[in-house]
Amino acid sequence: MTTDTARPGPERFLTLLREQQRGRLKVYLGFAPGVGKTYEMLQEGHRLRKQNVDVVIGVVETHGRADTAALVSDLEQVPRRKLEYHGVVLEEMDLDAMLNRRPTVALVDELAHTNAPGGRHAKRYQDVETLLQAGISVITTMNVQHLESLYDIVERFAGVKVKERVPDYVLAQAHQVVNVDLPAEDLQERLRAGKVYPPERAERALANFFTEPNLNQLREIALEQVAHVLDRRRHERDGAAQANTSARVMVCLSSRSPNALRLLRKGARLADRLGAPWFAVYVQTPGESTEKTDAATQRRVADSLALAQQLDGVPLTFKGADFPSAVAAFVAEYGITHLVMGRPQRPWYRRWFGPSLVDRLLHTVRGVDVVIVDTTT
């Protein structure tokens, strides 16, 4: 079952195709493998082709599913590019061939996929961005757990570290997002029937990732994510989607942040819900100058700032005599309304020596909502 509030049909997508030079992006979003994203994408490909739209398959993974393979056979496919890696021949979407073929619409499965070394881009979502820039519209698929800002949330309840991730800005720029939904028990039945994975792999999946609590939580997250995207699009159509210029979010980083990446994802999701710009700020005090920090620490800071950019934040380094005064200066200069920081790791005996960093910060920065995130769990 596929759900989408005010479910836009292929006719609506066809209208969007003709409106701009840059390609349009449509995402079929699911909460787990096997819910039917690829099948839905291929069905739309057939509907568009019947309306004389030039539709081509860039890459589709059937995973041995007969019903999906049947839909592939009737659509034009651009031959994949073969790459040898560690003695194994791998097949990837041939981006250059797609650009030369230049269809109106490209069907590109599994947006979060990591390409084999040797191609133009490391990630498939980067291939998709290149197609869009060339004026080719793309219909693609992804599971919600591959969204970068959800990494920590999924790890916490499912115990899984999702390795392949898509920056939030990619989904945010989609012109349509369709939630492909299925009750958790129906998906489990599909697994047991061998319609998702081979039997031996299905049993392991049911005992680990595909438990009912995990699937229900992922399903809820997917529904919430699509509802948020649809709400934002509705505001845009009504002409009321101007960014909330009264709200601005600052995520405070230091070289000692125990889990800066988790902090950034939390800040990004807060800013997204507020419809506000956000800043990832490495607060550099004299004790954290380049001369006093080792190369590994500097790399961690650089990686954190790079992730902020992927999450559609503005990475900055801001210097100050001490942490509270530097944060206060940034808050005043940039009109920050929401402050996100990690809980300081303060030994219990330090309480005897005066107020904590958080206490000093709250005393220095007034009129700002402060969110303290426990980054150690």
Side-chain angles (χ1 to χ4, degrees):
M1 176 174 68
T2 305
T3 60
D4 184 357
T5 305
R7 173 66 184 272
E11 296 79 11
R12 170 63 180 155
F13 190 61
L14 181 58
T15 302
L16 293 174
L17 295 180
R18 294 167 176 159
E19 286 180 354
Q20 289 188 352
Q21 292 298 317
R22 178 180 166 85
R24 295 273 174 160
L25 178 64
K26 182 169 185 174
V27 179
Y28 280 96
L29 184 74
F31 67 90
V35 296
K37 303 178 300 298
T38 303
Y39 189 84
E40 290 280 349
M41 178 184 71
L42 289 168
Q43 281 195 318
E44 175 150 8
H46 281 275
R47 289 193 294 266
L48 290 170
R49 192 186 66 168
K50 286 177 181 176
Q51 297 178 62
N52 298 317
V53 178
D54 184 17
V55 181
V56 166
I57 293 176
V59 61
V60 163
E61 303 295 347
T62 66
H63 299 290
R65 298 165 195 163
D67 51 354
T68 304
L71 286 175
V72 168
S73 60
D74 292 334
L75 291 171
E76 180 185 343
Q77 300 181 61
V78 170
R80 298 194 200 184
R81 183 182 180 203
K82 291 181 171 58
L83 298 165
E84 186 173 336
Y85 182 64
H86 289 177
V88 178
V89 177
L90 303 173
E91 293 188 351
E92 298 287 2
M93 180 174 74
D94 192 331
L95 179 58
D96 291 326
M98 287 292 292
L99 292 169
N100 289 332
R101 170 61 179 75
R102 201 173 178 78
T104 303
V105 178
L107 306 183
V108 181
D109 208 6
E110 298 186 359
L111 187 62
H113 173 78
T114 300
N115 293 329
R120 191 192 295 196
H121 299 130
K123 302 288 292 187
R124 186 168 288 165
Y125 74 79
Q126 295 171 313
D127 292 339
V128 165
E129 288 180 321
T130 299
L131 293 174
L132 295 172
Q133 289 164 7
I136 300 169
S137 292
V138 175
I139 304 176
T140 188
T141 67
M142 71 172 285
N143 289 319
V144 72
Q145 66 266 26
H146 293 286
L147 199 59
E148 178 66 56
S149 67
L150 292 173
Y151 175 84
D152 302 303
I153 296 172
V154 173
E155 182 186 7
R156 195 174 302 125
F157 73 78
V160 174
K161 294 180 182 292
V162 179
K163 293 180 180 178
E164 295 186 315
R165 302 192 293 278
V166 174
D168 287 50
Y169 76 82
V170 177
L171 188 63
Q173 72 183 3
H175 297 86
Q176 290 184 15
V177 179
V178 178
N179 183 41
V180 184
D181 191 28
L182 193 69
E185 55 270 25
D186 289 358
L187 178 56
Q188 289 178 320
E189 282 304 311
R190 293 197 70 197
L191 274 160
R192 294 187 184 98
K195 295 180 178 179
V196 180
Y197 297 135
E200 64 281 358
R201 188 180 172 192
E203 287 304 317
R204 289 197 304 272
L206 285 164
N208 294 289
F209 185 75
F210 284 79
T211 64
E212 192 164 339
N214 281 355
L215 293 178
N216 283 331
Q217 183 129 12
L218 285 167
R219 188 181 181 209
E220 186 176 319
I221 290 172
L223 289 167
E224 177 191 321
Q225 189 68 39
V226 172
H228 174 63
V229 171
L230 290 172
D231 188 55
R232 186 165 53 200
R233 291 286 175 265
R234 192 176 300 113
H235 282 300
E236 288 174 359
R237 287 196 301 271
D238 295 341
Q242 299 179 13
N244 183 359
T245 53
S246 63
R248 293 184 171 217
V249 178
M250 173 187 182
V251 178
C252 300
L253 302 174
S254 78
S255 63
R256 295 184 296 278
S257 297
N259 196 332
L261 305 186
R262 180 177 296 177
L263 197 62
L264 290 166
R265 295 182 187 111
K266 182 79 171 181
R269 290 190 69 76
L270 172 62
D272 187 46
R273 293 307 184 260
L274 291 171
W278 72 281
F279 305 85
V281 185
Y282 169 44
V283 181
Q284 190 178 58
T285 59
E288 295 197 347
S289 63
T290 306
E291 297 77 18
K292 295 183 179 180
T293 52
D294 57 34
T297 300
Q298 291 177 36
R299 270 198 306 274
R300 277 200 308 274
V301 171
D303 289 344
S304 298
L305 296 178
L307 177 63
Q309 199 157 25
Q310 282 194 10
L311 291 168
D312 214 17
V314 180
L316 294 169
T317 297
F318 197 80
K319 296 182 179 181
D322 58 76
F323 191 85
S325 65
V327 171
F330 189 91
V331 165
E333 183 175 341
Y334 286 82
I336 299 299
T337 59
H338 294 73
L339 192 62
V340 180
M341 62 178 291
R343 185 187 302 280
Q345 304 305 299
R346 191 184 192 215
W348 63 269
Y349 58 81
R350 291 292 300 274
R351 299 172 190 166
W352 297 340
F353 299 97
S356 68
L357 177 63
V358 173
D359 291 334
R360 286 187 288 137
L361 188 62
L362 292 174
H363 180 74
T364 308
V365 180
R366 301 297 179 91
V368 174
D369 290 341
V370 179
V371 180
I372 305 296
V373 180
D374 186 354
T375 59
T376 60
T377 57

